[in-house]
Amino acid sequence: MRTPLIQLKGITKAYGSGELMTTVLKGVDVTINRGEFVAIMGSSGSGKSTLMNILGCLDKPTSGEYRLLGRDVASLSRDQLAELRRDTFGFVFQSYHLLAGVSARDNVAVPAVYSGLSRAERQLKAEQLLTTLGLAERLENKPNQLSGGQQQRVSIARALMNGGEIILADEPTGALDSQSGKDVMVLLTNLARSGHTVILITHDPKVAALADRRIEISDGLIVADPGPSAQAAVPELPAKPHGHSSLAAELFEAVRTALGALSSNLFRAALTLLGIVIGVASVITMLAIGNGSQQEIVQSISAMGSNLLSVHPGAPNQFGRRTTSTLVAADMEAIKELPNVDAVVPEIGGTATLRYGNLDHSPEINGTSADFPRARLWPLTEGTFFSEADEQSYATVAVIGKSVAEVLFPNQDPLGKYVMVNTNLFQVIGVMSAKGASPWGQDQDDVVFVPYTTGGLRLFGQQFLRSITVSVSDVAHINDTEADINRLLVARHGGEDFQIRNMSSIIDTVSATTQTFTWLLGSIAAISLLVGGIGVMNIMLVSVSERTREIGIRMATGAHTRHILQQFLIEALVVSALGGAIGVALGLAATAILGAVGIPVYFSLAPVLLAFGCAFATGLVFGWLPARKAAQLDPVVALSSE
């Protein structure tokens, strides 16, 4: 004796617990051999549909033993049961259970997706099955474009896609007119004659009469069963189609399915994208503005010289009692002798009134030395700077800034001209290059440079210096030079009545501060990206709820847990990636517009990659929960969802 195809012993099924527990099957024993055409009859509520769900591995019994070809079904994992449904069973449901937004051909091809067939192979076989069932002209029609009988034939074709060794038909004629019902029964009878094992669930005696064996069930018990027929020779079924299922192929199919699902509801997809788009665009724009402001401030300060030490009179931390009578020219000369000192520039100054012809102007007057342009990296555009000889001879020569030249000498060459500074005549020998506004908004070009000796004697009436600026040769040792200057001046002055500012340290501090501000802007923008991610999760949870029946159909046709997980997770990732790409484009466009209107912006690849990466990660994180919920659904519960 060959092993029976199906063997049930003492199968029970109960729902609920305690006083609310309802027992639907109460110890069912059934044996079915290969090739039989069996009808299981019973009235509504008799337990026949529950029995079919257990036979088709859509549901598990509460107790009892179910063996399929001698294999204990209870020992199989969730994915092994999915493989059984894929390779062994074909389902024909009363309500058809077709995917709504998919063509007849693609509906039939669904089981082959999970058996690893290529798209071309499964499309070809689906066409052959539909043509055999008289639907050659309806390949591209969606379910709502087909009659009930045509939809049921599509359902039968789907059941045969992976071989359909066992066809489980649950009230296959219940929703059809009489003629369509007869046609469907002819198809099922022919399948039984060709070697398929057909198990028909029905309440109609006329339909049951077409089967070779009729089993009656009432109140969860088998009340009539002639027993299995003798195991006669059964026609050999065609080989089951199997392909090579690679991860890449699975992911490609999941992406294709995700795009199809999104395109079927474009408005909702657009709303889902919106949060991600706004978040990514905001992050890119905010970081560009922050980095642009940082660059502008640091460049402005750096333009003053990152290798400079600035010595000012007055003891440290005594801002309210500063004095200008502690630094002298001798201090400057002493500092020149220290190692790592490239140039030493004294400064003494104030404001004065300049007159040329009938034009007056009151710029800042800066008395300095011949090394000023080299120390401050500030070149001239016209003429020359004064020399050490000019300093020693107290020469009345002046070098003017661009703003002064534009005010006093409009449309004229200022070189060689004489200007009255208070009551002294000074000859203009040079014009500085344009410097622009300082980080504090001061016009740096509204200045006149004169030898510090001349300024101290003729303009300000003092020999004390306002400051001494030291340019170092090696910035790496600027802190050592600062310490040397401090020791030198303490020894000369008998105490610390001065302050030293390290421009390199100031630049580092400003850079760190502006970097913090930039990240603050980016963090604020990232909140919108987080909100967008929560929106993705909400929409995906709604999508899972709306598509529960689709999930049940895919599980019934052989989808593993990972297939469902991949499908919904990739949908979330596709939404996030697409939203990220659009957000990047909008963010770059907004950055370009802001730059065009004069707002300082700085574009770099890092914020773009950061924003897009965060969008992708958002889809992964917030898509996981809905995807996991979908993958953990019970097939029979999912199929019964409205």
Side-chain angles (χ1 to χ4, degrees):
M1 292 292 292
R2 288 181 293 176
T3 302
L5 178 64
I6 291 173
Q7 202 168 23
L8 303 182
K9 292 182 179 179
I11 293 295
T12 68
K13 182 64 179 178
Y15 297 98
S17 60
E19 296 180 357
L20 300 177
M21 186 172 68
T22 301
T23 303
V24 179
L25 297 180
K26 304 172 182 177
V28 172
D29 296 326
V30 170
T31 299
I32 299 175
N33 289 326
R34 191 187 302 274
E36 284 197 273
F37 186 8
V38 180
I40 299 178
M41 291 180 57
S43 59
S44 179
S46 61
K48 59 185 186 298
S49 292
T50 301
L51 180 58
M52 189 208 78
N53 291 332
I54 291 174
L55 287 171
C57 299
L58 294 172
D59 202 0
K60 292 183 178 181
T62 302
S63 64
E65 184 181 34
Y66 174 17
R67 289 190 173 273
L68 183 66
L69 276 176
R71 189 179 185 186
D72 187 3
V73 173
S75 66
L76 302 181
S77 67
R78 187 181 179 93
D79 284 345
Q80 288 174 322
L81 291 174
E83 290 171 6
L84 264 185
R85 294 192 293 269
R86 180 193 69 194
D87 298 335
T88 305
F89 294 100
F91 295 93
V92 180
F93 299 101
Q94 178 180 356
S95 53
Y96 322 129
H97 284 333
L98 301 178
L99 301 180
V102 176
S103 68
R105 176 168 50 194
D106 286 340
N107 262 291
V108 173
V110 168
V113 170
Y114 306 117
S115 62
L117 282 187
S118 68
R119 180 168 175 78
E121 290 174 320
R122 60 179 183 261
Q123 291 281 305
L124 178 60
K125 181 163 187 187
E127 289 180 19
Q128 292 172 345
L129 287 170
L130 289 170
T131 300
T132 301
L133 296 178
L135 294 174
E137 305 300 321
R138 302 287 183 177
L139 298 178
E140 300 302 327
N141 288 57
K142 294 181 179 179
N144 61 359
Q145 299 169 325
L146 300 172
S147 67
Q150 290 170 334
Q151 289 187 63
Q152 196 61 290
R153 276 186 276 170
V154 172
S155 180
I156 292 172
R158 182 181 63 193
L160 297 172
M161 186 67 190
N162 281 351
E165 181 181 352
I166 303 173
I167 303 295
L168 290 170
D170 185 14
E171 300 281 6
T173 63
L176 303 178
D177 59 75
S178 58
Q179 184 56 49
S180 296
K182 289 178 183 178
D183 293 341
V184 166
M185 288 308 301
V186 169
L187 289 173
L188 292 176
T189 302
N190 290 338
L191 290 174
R193 301 294 177 259
S194 63
H196 296 272
T197 303
V198 178
I199 302 174
L200 176 68
I201 307 296
T202 183
H203 68 280
D204 188 343
K206 294 181 181 179
V207 172
L210 299 174
D212 299 326
R213 173 184 171 192
R214 289 169 292 283
I215 300 173
E216 293 184 31
I217 185 171
S218 178
D219 294 329
L221 293 169
I222 301 296
V223 295
D225 180 8
S229 59
Q231 296 194 29
V234 177
E236 196 70 27
L237 292 174
K240 298 176 183 179
H242 279 290
H244 177 65
S245 180
S246 65
L247 179 60
E250 286 183 7
L251 293 178
F252 177 79
E253 185 60 35
V255 170
R256 196 181 68 83
T257 303
L259 291 174
L262 293 173
S263 63
S264 65
N265 198 329
L266 289 176
F267 182 69
R268 185 171 68 188
L271 291 178
T272 309
L273 287 173
L274 188 59
I276 299 294
V277 169
I278 293 174
V280 171
S282 299
V283 169
I284 291 175
T285 305
M286 289 294 190
L287 288 180
I289 293 173
N291 285 329
S293 301
Q294 177 186 7
Q295 291 263 342
E296 186 177 52
I297 293 171
V298 172
Q299 285 176 2
S300 297
I301 296 176
S302 297
M304 301 176 186
S306 59
N307 65 331
L308 300 181
L309 295 169
S310 182
V311 185
H312 293 266
N317 303 320
Q318 293 185 7
F319 301 105
R321 294 180 290 162
R322 290 186 61 179
T323 176
T324 59
S325 59
T326 61
L327 295 179
V328 294
D331 292 330
M332 172 190 70
E333 297 298 334
I335 293 173
K336 284 183 180 180
E337 302 302 320
L338 292 174
N340 197 36
V341 172
D342 180 52
V344 181
V345 177
E347 293 187 56
I348 181 173
T351 58
T353 300
L354 271 68
R355 172 170 292 180
Y356 177 75
N358 62 349
L359 297 175
D360 290 341
H361 186 55
S362 298
E364 179 187 357
I365 307 298
N366 191 341
T368 186
S369 69
D371 288 332
F372 181 89
R374 180 161 62 91
R376 288 297 184 88
L377 303 177
W378 191 349
L380 287 79
T381 56
E382 300 178 64
T384 61
F385 210 76
F386 46 81
S387 64
E388 289 186 12
D390 292 328
E391 296 172 21
Q392 295 170 4
S393 63
Y394 296 84
T396 54
V397 292
V399 178
I400 62 176
K402 271 288 185 184
S403 296
V404 177
E406 291 171 357
V407 172
L408 294 180
F409 304 98
N411 304 317
Q412 294 185 55
D413 182 3
L415 294 182
K417 303 292 192 304
Y418 286 88
V419 295
M420 184 72 73
V421 183
N422 290 342
T423 60
N424 301 280
L425 275 177
F426 279 75
Q427 184 181 25
V428 178
I429 62 172
V431 179
M432 304 298 292
S433 60
K435 195 77 168 177
S438 70
W440 304 276
Q442 182 182 0
D443 184 4
Q444 299 180 86
D445 298 316
D446 193 20
V447 64
V448 174
F449 297 100
V450 299
Y452 74 95
T453 51
T454 308
L457 179 65
R458 296 178 179 271
L459 299 179
F460 309 118
Q462 67 176 48
Q463 298 302 312
F464 295 106
L465 303 178
R466 181 180 65 186
S467 66
I468 298 174
T469 300
V470 181
S471 172
V472 302
S473 302
D474 187 355
V475 178
H477 296 94
I478 192 171
N479 292 332
D480 295 334
T481 305
E482 179 183 357
D484 291 342
I485 294 172
N486 187 79
R487 284 192 293 269
L488 173 68
L489 295 181
V490 167
R492 287 180 57 83
H493 295 190
E496 194 171 355
D497 57 356
F498 56 89
Q499 303 173 43
I500 302 177
R501 296 176 185 169
N502 189 326
M503 291 300 295
S504 178
S505 299
I506 292 174
I507 291 172
D508 290 341
T509 302
V510 170
S511 180
T513 302
T514 53
Q515 184 67 34
T516 301
F517 174 71
T518 299
W519 282 112
L520 177 61
L521 287 178
S523 300
I524 293 172
I527 293 174
S528 61
L529 188 57
L530 177 65
V531 173
I534 295 173
V536 170
M537 181 174 66
N538 289 338
I539 294 296
M540 292 305 300
L541 285 171
V542 170
S543 180
V544 169
S545 300
E546 290 181 351
R547 295 161 59 193
T548 300
R549 180 175 288 187
E550 175 194 336
I551 296 167
I553 294 169
R554 292 186 180 278
M555 288 179 170
T557 52
H560 284 201
T561 300
R562 74 171 186 276
H563 293 133
I564 305 299
L565 188 65
Q566 286 171 359
Q567 178 182 340
F568 284 89
L569 189 56
I570 286 178
E571 280 189 32
L573 291 177
V574 166
V575 167
S576 298
L578 187 58
I582 297 172
V584 166
L586 287 179
L588 294 179
T591 300
I593 292 171
L594 291 174
V597 299
I599 296 176
V601 294
Y602 176 74
F603 166 78
S604 64
L605 188 60
V608 174
L609 295 178
L610 175 66
F612 187 83
C614 287
F616 200 78
T618 296
L620 184 65
V621 172
F622 288 99
W624 171 259
L625 182 60
R628 183 177 179 276
K629 178 184 177 182
Q632 295 299 318
L633 286 172
D634 194 2
V636 70
V637 173
L639 281 170
S640 62
S641 174
E642 295 296 332

